Amino acid sequence: MMIKTKLNPQIVVNYFNELYPKAKCALNYENGFQLVIAVMLSAQAKDGRVNQVDAILFDKYQSIVALANASVEDVRTILKPLGLAKRKAKNVIAIANKFLSSNLKEVPNDENFLLSLPGIGLKAKNVILIELFDAQVFPVDTHVYRVSYNLGLRSKKDDPYKSELKLEKYFKDYRYKLLHHQMISFGRNICKAISPRCEICKLKAYCRHFLK
Ligand code: SF4
């Protein structure tokens, strides 16, 4: 099969809308604070596992104050299934304390505040901003990184940050939030790292992986 020269973003958008019209964040949360904690905990851990652990954590500690006053050991025990449990437990408690000391009950739409939280880096900050505030940012996780390469939306040498800039430019005429969740769903379910389901994929005519 011949590769088509350029993949029009509208083709991607149409296909993703057909596949995942209601794609949404895989992390469960009831408020912004819980999302911040979930995003921090999801570093090097699967979202499903984070959801299981969060259900226990937020059942035991039902307020920011309760978490701020928790013991590292108690929180660490709950977080054990996620790995890096001690560091993450310290981060959870420190984040709760930061909200308390800043007199915040809601997550502010403030990237500097988010970046000041332990365990929240550039990607995590953008995940929070796009989810809570519909920000026009396109955080690149492992799925977005792989899919964007296969579809020729970034080059091989691009790191996640450069890839994000390219995706933001490529999709500049669209709202990113739904598209971002759709691309992650596509990476999880069809354009998988191992055994992608190319036989059913409608983008194969544009795909580096399929055509190589
Ligand atoms: S053809 Fe296969 S590798 Fe390429 S985008 Fe589709 S699922 Fe992914």
Short mmCIF file of all heavy atoms in Angstrom, two decimals, residues 112-147:
data_model
loop_
_atom_site.label_atom_id
_atom_site.label_comp_id
_atom_site.label_asym_id
_atom_site.label_seq_id
_atom_site.Cartn_x
_atom_site.Cartn_y
_atom_site.Cartn_z
N ASN A 112 1.83 27.77 37.82
CA ASN A 112 2.96 27.90 38.76
C ASN A 112 2.63 27.23 40.09
O ASN A 112 3.49 26.58 40.69
CB ASN A 112 3.30 29.38 38.98
CG ASN A 112 3.90 29.99 37.74
OD1 ASN A 112 4.65 29.32 37.01
ND2 ASN A 112 3.57 31.23 37.47
N PHE A 113 1.38 27.38 40.53
CA PHE A 113 0.99 26.69 41.77
C PHE A 113 1.09 25.18 41.57
O PHE A 113 1.65 24.46 42.41
CB PHE A 113 -0.44 27.06 42.18
CG PHE A 113 -0.92 26.26 43.36
CD1 PHE A 113 -0.53 26.60 44.65
CD2 PHE A 113 -1.74 25.13 43.18
CE1 PHE A 113 -0.94 25.83 45.75
CE2 PHE A 113 -2.15 24.37 44.27
CZ PHE A 113 -1.75 24.72 45.56
N LEU A 114 0.58 24.70 40.45
CA LEU A 114 0.60 23.24 40.22
C LEU A 114 2.03 22.72 40.17
O LEU A 114 2.34 21.67 40.73
CB LEU A 114 -0.15 22.91 38.92
CG LEU A 114 -1.66 23.16 38.96
CD1 LEU A 114 -2.29 22.97 37.59
CD2 LEU A 114 -2.34 22.23 39.98
N LEU A 115 2.91 23.47 39.51
CA LEU A 115 4.30 23.03 39.40
C LEU A 115 5.03 23.10 40.74
O LEU A 115 6.07 22.47 40.91
CB LEU A 115 5.04 23.87 38.36
CG LEU A 115 4.69 23.55 36.91
CD1 LEU A 115 5.31 24.56 35.95
CD2 LEU A 115 5.14 22.13 36.53
N SER A 116 4.46 23.84 41.69
CA SER A 116 5.10 23.91 43.01
C SER A 116 4.75 22.70 43.87
O SER A 116 5.31 22.51 44.95
CB SER A 116 4.66 25.20 43.73
OG SER A 116 3.33 25.06 44.22
N LEU A 117 3.82 21.87 43.40
CA LEU A 117 3.41 20.71 44.19
C LEU A 117 4.37 19.55 43.97
O LEU A 117 4.76 19.27 42.83
CB LEU A 117 1.99 20.27 43.77
CG LEU A 117 0.90 21.32 43.95
CD1 LEU A 117 -0.43 20.81 43.37
CD2 LEU A 117 0.73 21.67 45.43
N PRO A 118 4.76 18.87 45.04
CA PRO A 118 5.70 17.75 44.88
C PRO A 118 5.11 16.63 44.04
O PRO A 118 3.95 16.26 44.21
CB PRO A 118 5.95 17.29 46.32
CG PRO A 118 4.85 17.86 47.13
CD PRO A 118 4.37 19.09 46.43
N GLY A 119 5.91 16.14 43.10
CA GLY A 119 5.45 15.04 42.25
C GLY A 119 4.68 15.50 41.03
O GLY A 119 4.25 14.68 40.23
N ILE A 120 4.47 16.80 40.88
CA ILE A 120 3.76 17.33 39.71
C ILE A 120 4.78 18.02 38.79
O ILE A 120 5.30 19.09 39.12
CB ILE A 120 2.65 18.33 40.12
CG1 ILE A 120 1.62 17.66 41.03
CG2 ILE A 120 1.97 18.92 38.87
CD1 ILE A 120 0.81 16.54 40.39
N GLY A 121 5.05 17.39 37.66
CA GLY A 121 5.96 17.97 36.68
C GLY A 121 5.17 18.57 35.53
O GLY A 121 3.95 18.76 35.62
N LEU A 122 5.87 18.85 34.42
CA LEU A 122 5.22 19.55 33.30
C LEU A 122 4.06 18.76 32.71
O LEU A 122 2.99 19.30 32.44
CB LEU A 122 6.26 19.81 32.19
CG LEU A 122 7.27 20.92 32.49
CD1 LEU A 122 8.33 20.96 31.40
CD2 LEU A 122 6.56 22.26 32.60
N LYS A 123 4.27 17.44 32.51
CA LYS A 123 3.20 16.64 31.90
C LYS A 123 2.00 16.55 32.86
O LYS A 123 0.85 16.77 32.45
CB LYS A 123 3.68 15.23 31.54
CG LYS A 123 2.56 14.37 30.94
CD LYS A 123 3.08 13.07 30.41
CE LYS A 123 3.25 12.00 31.44
NZ LYS A 123 2.07 11.32 31.94
N ALA A 124 2.29 16.25 34.12
CA ALA A 124 1.19 16.12 35.10
C ALA A 124 0.43 17.44 35.21
O ALA A 124 -0.81 17.45 35.28
CB ALA A 124 1.76 15.71 36.46
N LYS A 125 1.16 18.53 35.21
CA LYS A 125 0.51 19.86 35.29
C LYS A 125 -0.45 20.03 34.11
O LYS A 125 -1.59 20.49 34.28
CB LYS A 125 1.61 20.93 35.28
CG LYS A 125 1.14 22.35 35.29
CD LYS A 125 1.14 23.00 33.93
CE LYS A 125 2.51 23.15 33.33
NZ LYS A 125 2.45 23.78 31.98
N ASN A 126 -0.02 19.65 32.93
CA ASN A 126 -0.89 19.82 31.76
C ASN A 126 -2.07 18.86 31.78
O ASN A 126 -3.16 19.20 31.31
CB ASN A 126 -0.07 19.64 30.47
CG ASN A 126 0.70 20.90 30.14
OD1 ASN A 126 0.50 21.94 30.76
ND2 ASN A 126 1.59 20.82 29.17
N VAL A 127 -1.86 17.66 32.32
CA VAL A 127 -2.99 16.72 32.45
C VAL A 127 -4.07 17.35 33.35
O VAL A 127 -5.27 17.28 33.05
CB VAL A 127 -2.52 15.36 33.04
CG1 VAL A 127 -3.71 14.50 33.43
CG2 VAL A 127 -1.63 14.63 32.03
N ILE A 128 -3.65 17.99 34.42
CA ILE A 128 -4.60 18.62 35.34
C ILE A 128 -5.28 19.82 34.68
O ILE A 128 -6.51 19.98 34.76
CB ILE A 128 -3.86 19.06 36.64
CG1 ILE A 128 -3.36 17.81 37.38
CG2 ILE A 128 -4.78 19.90 37.53
CD1 ILE A 128 -2.29 18.11 38.42
N LEU A 129 -4.50 20.62 33.98
CA LEU A 129 -5.07 21.83 33.35
C LEU A 129 -6.07 21.48 32.25
O LEU A 129 -7.12 22.12 32.13
CB LEU A 129 -3.95 22.71 32.76
CG LEU A 129 -3.07 23.43 33.78
CD1 LEU A 129 -1.95 24.20 33.09
CD2 LEU A 129 -3.89 24.38 34.66
N ILE A 130 -5.76 20.47 31.45
CA ILE A 130 -6.69 20.11 30.37
C ILE A 130 -7.95 19.49 30.95
O ILE A 130 -9.06 19.74 30.47
CB ILE A 130 -6.00 19.19 29.33
CG1 ILE A 130 -6.84 19.10 28.04
CG2 ILE A 130 -5.77 17.80 29.84
CD1 ILE A 130 -6.14 18.34 26.91
N GLU A 131 -7.79 18.71 32.01
CA GLU A 131 -8.94 18.01 32.57
C GLU A 131 -9.87 18.95 33.34
O GLU A 131 -11.08 18.91 33.18
CB GLU A 131 -8.44 16.88 33.49
CG GLU A 131 -9.53 16.02 34.09
CD GLU A 131 -10.34 15.27 33.05
OE1 GLU A 131 -9.88 15.11 31.92
OE2 GLU A 131 -11.47 14.86 33.39
N LEU A 132 -9.29 19.81 34.16
CA LEU A 132 -10.12 20.66 35.01
C LEU A 132 -10.53 21.96 34.34
O LEU A 132 -11.60 22.50 34.63
CB LEU A 132 -9.37 21.00 36.31
CG LEU A 132 -9.09 19.84 37.26
CD1 LEU A 132 -8.41 20.36 38.52
CD2 LEU A 132 -10.37 19.08 37.62
N PHE A 133 -9.70 22.46 33.43
CA PHE A 133 -9.95 23.80 32.89
C PHE A 133 -10.02 23.82 31.37
O PHE A 133 -10.03 24.90 30.77
CB PHE A 133 -8.85 24.76 33.39
CG PHE A 133 -8.75 24.81 34.87
CD1 PHE A 133 -7.66 24.23 35.54
CD2 PHE A 133 -9.75 25.37 35.64
CE1 PHE A 133 -7.57 24.25 36.92
CE2 PHE A 133 -9.67 25.40 37.03
CZ PHE A 133 -8.57 24.83 37.67
N ASP A 134 -10.06 22.64 30.76
CA ASP A 134 -10.19 22.57 29.30
C ASP A 134 -9.08 23.38 28.62
O ASP A 134 -9.30 24.03 27.59
CB ASP A 134 -11.57 23.11 28.89
CG ASP A 134 -12.00 22.64 27.51
OD1 ASP A 134 -11.31 21.78 26.94
OD2 ASP A 134 -13.00 23.16 27.00
N ALA A 135 -7.89 23.36 29.22
CA ALA A 135 -6.78 24.15 28.67
C ALA A 135 -6.35 23.62 27.31
O ALA A 135 -6.44 22.42 27.06
CB ALA A 135 -5.59 24.11 29.64
N GLN A 136 -5.88 24.51 26.45
CA GLN A 136 -5.40 24.09 25.14
C GLN A 136 -3.94 23.63 25.25
O GLN A 136 -3.01 24.30 24.77
CB GLN A 136 -5.56 25.24 24.14
CG GLN A 136 -6.98 25.39 23.60
CD GLN A 136 -7.42 24.23 22.72
OE1 GLN A 136 -7.83 23.17 23.22
NE2 GLN A 136 -7.36 24.40 21.42
N VAL A 137 -3.76 22.48 25.87
CA VAL A 137 -2.45 21.83 25.98
C VAL A 137 -2.66 20.37 25.60
O VAL A 137 -3.78 19.87 25.67
CB VAL A 137 -1.87 21.94 27.42
CG1 VAL A 137 -1.46 23.36 27.72
CG2 VAL A 137 -2.89 21.45 28.45
N PHE A 138 -1.59 19.71 25.18
CA PHE A 138 -1.75 18.34 24.70
C PHE A 138 -0.67 17.45 25.35
O PHE A 138 0.33 17.10 24.72
CB PHE A 138 -1.61 18.30 23.17
CG PHE A 138 -2.46 17.24 22.52
CD1 PHE A 138 -3.59 17.59 21.79
CD2 PHE A 138 -2.12 15.89 22.64
CE1 PHE A 138 -4.38 16.60 21.19
CE2 PHE A 138 -2.91 14.91 22.05
CZ PHE A 138 -4.03 15.27 21.33
N PRO A 139 -0.86 17.09 26.63
CA PRO A 139 0.16 16.30 27.32
C PRO A 139 0.42 14.98 26.61
O PRO A 139 -0.50 14.32 26.13
CB PRO A 139 -0.42 16.08 28.71
CG PRO A 139 -1.84 16.52 28.66
CD PRO A 139 -2.02 17.38 27.48
N VAL A 140 1.70 14.61 26.57
CA VAL A 140 2.10 13.42 25.81
C VAL A 140 2.48 12.30 26.78
O VAL A 140 3.52 12.36 27.43
CB VAL A 140 3.28 13.76 24.88
CG1 VAL A 140 3.82 12.52 24.20
CG2 VAL A 140 2.82 14.77 23.82
N ASP A 141 1.61 11.32 26.87
CA ASP A 141 1.94 10.12 27.65
C ASP A 141 2.46 9.05 26.68
O ASP A 141 2.66 9.31 25.49
CB ASP A 141 0.72 9.63 28.45
CG ASP A 141 -0.34 8.99 27.55
OD1 ASP A 141 -0.24 9.09 26.31
OD2 ASP A 141 -1.28 8.38 28.10
N THR A 142 2.66 7.86 27.19
CA THR A 142 3.25 6.81 26.36
C THR A 142 2.36 6.47 25.15
O THR A 142 2.87 6.18 24.06
CB THR A 142 3.53 5.56 27.22
OG1 THR A 142 4.13 4.57 26.41
CG2 THR A 142 2.27 4.99 27.85
N HIS A 143 1.03 6.54 25.31
CA HIS A 143 0.13 6.21 24.19
C HIS A 143 0.15 7.31 23.13
O HIS A 143 0.26 7.04 21.94
CB HIS A 143 -1.31 6.00 24.71
CG HIS A 143 -1.40 4.91 25.73
ND1 HIS A 143 -1.15 3.59 25.43
CD2 HIS A 143 -1.70 4.95 27.06
CE1 HIS A 143 -1.29 2.86 26.53
NE2 HIS A 143 -1.62 3.65 27.52
N VAL A 144 0.05 8.54 23.59
CA VAL A 144 0.07 9.67 22.65
C VAL A 144 1.41 9.71 21.91
O VAL A 144 1.47 9.98 20.71
CB VAL A 144 -0.19 10.99 23.40
CG1 VAL A 144 0.03 12.20 22.49
CG2 VAL A 144 -1.61 11.01 23.96
N TYR A 145 2.46 9.40 22.62
CA TYR A 145 3.81 9.40 22.02
C TYR A 145 3.90 8.37 20.89
O TYR A 145 4.39 8.66 19.81
CB TYR A 145 4.83 9.09 23.12
CG TYR A 145 6.26 9.45 22.77
CD1 TYR A 145 6.61 10.76 22.45
CD2 TYR A 145 7.26 8.48 22.80
CE1 TYR A 145 7.92 11.10 22.16
CE2 TYR A 145 8.58 8.82 22.51
CZ TYR A 145 8.90 10.13 22.19
OH TYR A 145 10.21 10.46 21.89
N ARG A 146 3.39 7.18 21.15
CA ARG A 146 3.46 6.11 20.15
C ARG A 146 2.53 6.39 18.96
O ARG A 146 2.95 6.31 17.80
CB ARG A 146 3.06 4.77 20.80
CG ARG A 146 3.10 3.58 19.86
CD ARG A 146 2.76 2.30 20.58
NE ARG A 146 1.42 2.27 21.14
CZ ARG A 146 1.11 2.49 22.41
NH1 ARG A 146 2.04 2.75 23.29
NH2 ARG A 146 -0.15 2.45 22.83
N VAL A 147 1.30 6.75 19.25
CA VAL A 147 0.32 6.99 18.18
C VAL A 147 0.79 8.15 17.30
O VAL A 147 0.73 8.07 16.07
CB VAL A 147 -1.07 7.29 18.77
CG1 VAL A 147 -2.02 7.79 17.69
CG2 VAL A 147 -1.64 6.06 19.45
#
